[in-house]
Amino acid sequence: MTGADSIVKCLEAEGVDVVFGYPGVAICPFYNAILNSGIETVLIRTEQNAAHAASGLARVTGKVGVCAVTSGPGATNVITGIATAFADSIPIVVITGQVNSELLGSDVFQEADITGAVESFVKYSYLVRDADDIPRIFKEAFHLASTGRKGPVLIDVPIDIQNAPTSKFKYPESINMRTYKPTVKGHAVQIQKAVKALNHAKRPIICAGGGVLLADACGVLRELSERYSIPAVHTMMGKGALPSEYKLNYGMVGNNGKPYANRAMNEADVLIMIGARVADRAISQPDIIFDNKTLIHIDVDPAEIGKNAQATIPIVGDALSILTEMLESEITCSTSDWVDTLEEYRNTMAVVRHPNPAYVDPGEFIRRLTDSMEDTAVYVADVGQNQIWSCAYAIVRDGRFLTSGGMGTMGYSIPAAMGAKYACPDTQVVAVCGDGSFQMSMMELATMRQHGIQGKIVVMSNGYLGMVREYQHYTYKDNYSVVDLSGSPDLSKISEAYGFKYLRLENMKDCDAVIKDFLSTDESVLLELIIDPMDLVK
Amino acid sequence: MQRKVFQLLVDNTSGVLSRIAGLFSRRGYNIESITAGVTADPRYTRITIVTSGDDEILDQIEKQVFKLIDVRDIKVLEPGNSVYRELALIKIRVSADRRQEIIALAETDNFRAKIIDVCKEALIVELTGNQDKIDTFIGLLDGYEILELARTGLAGLGRGIENVTYLP
């Protein structure tokens, strides 16, 4: 048995079904050993997307996603995917091949100091120096990735370590990490303080972040909101934590959110922030917003509390555990006047778009598409104007809404949707991107075809890097610089070349029929929407 | 802005110092000095970091450092309840006829420094103490040329046994 066999056995012990990756010499012992296991492999077309695919899988299954790439450029290419997962706290394990350990540091062919390079984007990284350490390191890596504040862990394995003989394989049953013990249970006194604050609240509001989904706490959050009529808003990463149509869900906050959601948060007297970082796109002026209100900040990462806002009642721990405990106390707050006020805001402050009838209205299209999708569907939004429209108009019921929120990585949607679809073949999965982001990841259409992964991709074509164009419209008075996407390929031919069915929608006339076609076909399908190049999200 | 001395116990693994230093540089925290050395238990390294910032930054430093997987323990060494020492080696250009002036200054009770190397044109003073004492001594060398100066940065321990972290 070799180090490579040992790695495969570790993955089996962790219940890994699939590894996304791209081989090279330095990871070949691993890709040779995996042939003897039941673990599937998916050859992605560029390494960055291996991490995105693992991220998509992780987000829909709650398991740790795994990818494996080679040393040097393979490893450096995967960094953007790792940084994307880190920013959104997505649990993945990235295995990188490395040059012979005796040659480390001598700049040999395809050597890159990947543990050094990813230092600020990983929860932790390992450079394996002894094949006998592999079981312990993998056990720790999966534990680190999936507990506390989740995130990516990288394991760099030199080729000689993969080839080295190892002693009999024994996977550790327990973790013995002296320095890592994340807090799960919230402090009882703090939880009681939060309950007391809610008892006195007249205008309470919940702000749900991505941490609610990561902690699998959507059910208890809904229970808390519904039982005591506490209205809720959410961040971009928190979209889907509560169903879009749930009556007390007032939508997304932030500079791209709903005006009435922001107003609701501003006017609240008690704000329960759960699994949210209070980052700049959600809350641009925390000092003003948190003035004159009680902020109950629940987060599994103590460093997030007090980073961007000073909490009145900080509670460190797992959202599921804390919310469950909060529900054990009777809360007596009466919110009917407050809810009436918010309803009025919702009715009077709705954003009215004035779409150009010659083109597809992206907002209305997304609303109708998601309304027709299955309740459990997974919607993967890319980055750009399409992301803002998706956040504003996508209806999420019991399914999921995935996007790259923290890092804002273009090209995320197609590989992430691929990972999600691979993990849940019976779930409807749709990726929605722009013509810019599509071209960053369109090589993965081949991966889908090769591995029989059904792709449903919506491309919003406007011939521009729309979000940047919009910024240049406002900031540089239409002095456009390097945002024209002329030269883009004919997507009908791209679809044909990759064996995708091609659908096209040029205006809203045939919208419903095309959506029906798009959702009902069992083939992989690409739907191109023709969007007004001058359309704006604001 | 206030100054704070943090004492860390970390796993004695390769790369741990770079992880800590990297955290300070990428988040824009100050490091005035950092010292590291293995503890009585070779599995651990003790690190003393002198840093400065406002209350919020110092709070973040403590939390972000503690979040690093390798960090077992972090505490603040409060001035009233801790001892700090730094070692400085100072090479001073001095001719034989003025050598006694330096030796006399170094050996006063205020400094209790040692002369650890003497050559025809220079000598090396070894001085131990808190940072103020070393700064004061250097200040008194006005008029002499300091050829080379090596300071270790602060090492510190809390007084008494109440705050000792017992390692498993």
Side-chain angles (χ1 to χ4, degrees):
Chain A
M1 179 148 150
T2 65
D5 296 322
S6 181
I7 295 171
V8 173
K9 287 222 172 300
C10 293
L11 299 184
E12 284 177 332
E14 290 291 341
V16 173
D17 300 316
V18 60
V19 172
F20 301 96
Y22 208 113
V25 169
I27 192 73
C28 267
F30 166 74
Y31 274 112
N32 185 53
I34 205 168
L35 290 174
N36 304 321
S37 76
I39 300 171
E40 302 283 336
T41 48
V42 172
L43 172 63
I44 43 77
R45 294 310 200 256
T46 185
E47 288 89 349
Q48 177 181 323
N49 291 337
H52 290 333
S55 159
L57 176 144
R59 292 173 79 167
V60 297
T61 61
K63 291 167 68 173
V64 176
V66 179
C67 59
V69 301
T70 194
S71 65
T76 53
N77 267 354
V78 86
I79 294 177
T80 301
I82 294 173
T84 305
F86 186 70
D88 293 338
S89 309
I90 309 300
I92 61 171
V93 165
V94 180
I95 304 165
T96 49
Q98 182 54 281
V99 301
N100 192 306
S101 53
E102 285 177 8
L103 300 174
L104 275 172
S106 57
D107 302 327
V108 292
F109 179 67
Q110 292 196 330
E111 180 188 353
D113 168 22
I114 193 63
T115 51
V118 296
E119 183 47 44
S120 51
F121 308 118
V122 289
K123 192 163 168 189
Y124 200 61
S125 61
Y126 295 89
L127 171 58
V128 185
R129 298 212 171 248
D130 181 344
D132 288 339
D133 287 340
I134 286 171
R136 173 187 60 80
I137 286 174
F138 274 74
K139 180 80 181 177
E140 288 180 5
F142 277 80
H143 179 67
L144 285 169
S146 60
T147 56
R149 179 171 182 177
K150 297 171 185 180
V153 176
L154 181 134
I155 309 173
D156 197 25
V157 197
I159 186 168
D160 56 312
I161 304 292
Q162 295 176 55
N163 285 326
T166 58
S167 45
K168 195 169 168 293
F169 181 81
K170 190 169 174 296
Y171 203 57
E173 278 167 24
S174 60
I175 296 283
N176 179 22
M177 295 187 73
R178 298 185 297 266
T179 56
Y180 176 72
K181 289 184 180 63
T183 309
V184 175
K185 227 170 124 30
H187 197 287
V189 174
Q190 293 300 91
I191 291 173
Q192 280 317 306
K193 275 191 200 162
V195 168
K196 205 176 278 175
L198 281 172
N199 283 339
H200 295 122
K202 291 191 174 61
R203 300 180 308 280
I205 199 149
I206 293 163
C207 179
V212 174
L213 291 144
L214 288 163
D216 207 6
C218 302
V220 281
L221 179 67
R222 170 79 180 261
E223 177 68 28
L224 178 72
S225 166
E226 210 158 29
R227 197 192 290 175
Y228 301 112
S229 287
I230 305 174
V233 292
H234 60 79
T235 66
M236 182 181 276
M237 290 302 293
K239 188 172 171 70
L242 291 167
S244 309
E245 293 159 320
Y246 167 55
K247 62 181 193 311
L248 292 175
N249 183 352
Y250 289 90
M252 190 172 95
V253 294
N255 53 4
N256 291 307
K258 304 275 189 216
Y260 48 84
N262 288 328
R263 184 158 181 193
M265 192 151 73
N266 290 348
E267 293 184 6
D269 61 351
V270 175
L271 168 60
I272 317 163
M273 190 73 112
I274 310 168
R277 297 183 295 146
V278 198
D280 57 328
R281 286 234 295 188
I283 294 162
S284 53
Q285 292 172 298
D287 302 353
I288 296 169
I289 290 200
F290 299 127
D291 202 26
N292 298 325
K293 61 166 65 68
T294 304
L295 171 61
I296 302 167
H297 195 172
I298 301 171
D299 205 293
V300 73
D301 179 359
E304 284 306 337
I305 292 175
K307 186 173 89 178
N308 299 326
Q310 292 305 316
T312 328
I313 306 172
I315 313 180
V316 177
D318 175 70
L320 177 62
S321 157
I322 290 167
L323 292 175
T324 306
E325 209 163 314
M326 278 175 81
L327 280 169
E328 282 166 14
S329 303
E330 190 64 29
I331 297 171
T332 53
C333 63
S334 140
T335 63
S336 56
D337 288 354
W338 171 231
V339 171
D340 287 347
T341 308
L342 295 187
E343 272 311 304
E344 194 196 313
Y345 292 167
R346 168 144 54 193
N347 294 330
T348 55
M349 295 175 73
V351 180
V352 183
R353 280 176 53 80
H354 301 284
N356 180 343
Y359 294 94
V360 174
D361 172 8
E364 178 60 13
F365 170 84
I366 290 166
R367 195 192 64 72
R368 290 197 211 174
L369 170 72
T370 49
D371 193 34
S372 307
M373 278 162 56
E374 290 167 9
D375 284 357
T376 57
V378 176
Y379 184 106
V380 192
D382 216 288
V383 167
Q385 285 181 315
N386 66 86
Q387 183 183 43
I388 309 307
W389 284 318
S390 290
C391 287
Y393 296 98
I395 300 164
V396 187
R397 296 186 175 118
D398 299 326
R400 289 294 303 273
F401 180 91
L402 311 182
T403 194
S404 163
M407 190 54 61
T409 305
M410 283 176 68
Y412 178 77
S413 67
I414 291 173
M418 185 170 77
K421 186 67 181 175
Y422 188 93
C424 306
D426 299 328
T427 302
Q428 197 175 50
V429 178
V430 173
V432 178
C433 55
D435 42 359
S437 44
F438 175 75
Q439 288 178 74
M440 281 200 177
S441 286
M442 68 179 185
M443 70 291 270
E444 300 308 335
L445 270 56
T447 313
M448 288 186 235
R449 176 158 67 164
Q450 178 183 4
H451 296 279
I453 305 166
Q454 185 205 54
K456 282 190 190 293
I457 301 169
V458 176
V459 183
M460 297 185 171
S461 286
N462 61 1
Y464 274 107
L465 299 176
M467 197 72 178
V468 187
R469 187 202 67 79
E470 180 166 339
Y471 180 75
Q472 293 176 350
H473 163 70
Y474 288 119
T475 310
Y476 301 104
K477 305 201 167 27
D478 290 328
N479 227 354
Y480 298 141
S481 179
V482 206
V483 289
D484 179 351
L485 274 175
S486 300
S488 297
D490 180 334
L491 295 191
S492 71
K493 290 188 175 148
I494 289 287
S495 302
E496 192 192 340
Y498 284 110
F500 272 56
K501 178 176 174 170
Y502 175 75
L503 296 172
R504 182 181 176 91
L505 187 64
E506 298 189 343
N507 55 51
M508 294 305 279
K509 232 180 284 162
D510 299 321
C511 183
D512 293 332
V514 169
I515 285 174
K516 195 163 175 239
D517 254 15
F518 175 74
L519 291 177
S520 60
T521 181
D522 291 330
E523 292 173 72
S524 281
V525 53
L526 186 152
L527 164 56
E528 182 175 15
L529 311 180
I530 308 304
I531 305 290
D532 181 355
M534 294 297 121
D535 206 342
L536 302 167
V537 299
K538 286 195 210 257
Chain B
M1 282 281 270
Q2 47 165 319
R3 200 157 155 271
K4 232 174 200 181
V5 183
F6 287 108
Q7 186 198 66
L8 281 63
L9 265 177
V10 304
D11 257 359
N12 185 9
T13 51
S14 67
V16 63
L17 203 57
S18 109
R19 282 180 171 130
I20 290 165
L23 172 74
F24 273 75
S25 72
R26 76 174 168 271
R27 291 195 183 268
Y29 306 146
N30 294 324
I31 297 184
E32 284 182 20
S33 77
I34 180 166
T35 63
V38 70
T39 66
D41 179 341
R43 295 174 303 164
Y44 295 100
T45 294
R46 187 179 307 280
I47 297 178
T48 309
I49 299 177
V50 183
T51 182
S52 58
D54 59 27
D55 285 348
E56 274 139 43
I57 295 286
L58 291 167
D59 180 59
Q60 269 296 300
I61 291 175
E62 188 166 353
K63 285 171 166 174
Q64 295 288 357
V65 170
F66 190 60
K67 195 166 126 178
L68 291 174
I69 306 296
D70 295 317
V71 175
R72 169 77 171 76
D73 191 37
I74 177 165
K75 39 179 129 155
V76 178
L77 292 178
E78 301 289 358
N81 201 23
S82 312
V83 289
Y84 311 131
R85 289 292 181 272
E86 180 174 9
L87 183 118
L89 301 178
I90 310 163
K91 186 185 289 177
I92 306 157
R93 188 193 293 279
V94 60
S95 54
D97 56 323
R98 294 189 70 188
R99 200 181 284 148
Q100 275 310 318
E101 293 171 26
I102 300 284
I103 294 171
L105 176 67
E107 289 180 349
T108 58
D109 276 357
N110 289 330
F111 296 113
R112 291 185 193 169
K114 287 186 215 151
I115 310 300
I116 56 172
D117 185 62
V118 183
C119 69
K120 218 161 74 182
E121 305 85 4
L123 51 72
I124 298 177
V125 175
E126 175 202 307
L127 177 60
T128 308
N130 61 27
Q131 288 182 315
D132 284 348
K133 177 169 153 186
I134 292 168
D135 291 342
T136 306
F137 185 79
I138 291 168
L140 289 171
L141 293 176
D142 199 23
Y144 292 94
E145 184 184 356
I146 296 176
L147 291 169
E148 283 178 316
L149 174 63
R151 295 178 70 154
T152 58
L154 215 60
L157 287 177
R159 293 181 189 273
I161 62 163
E162 282 80 31
N163 288 316
V164 172
T165 305
Y166 293 94
L167 300 169

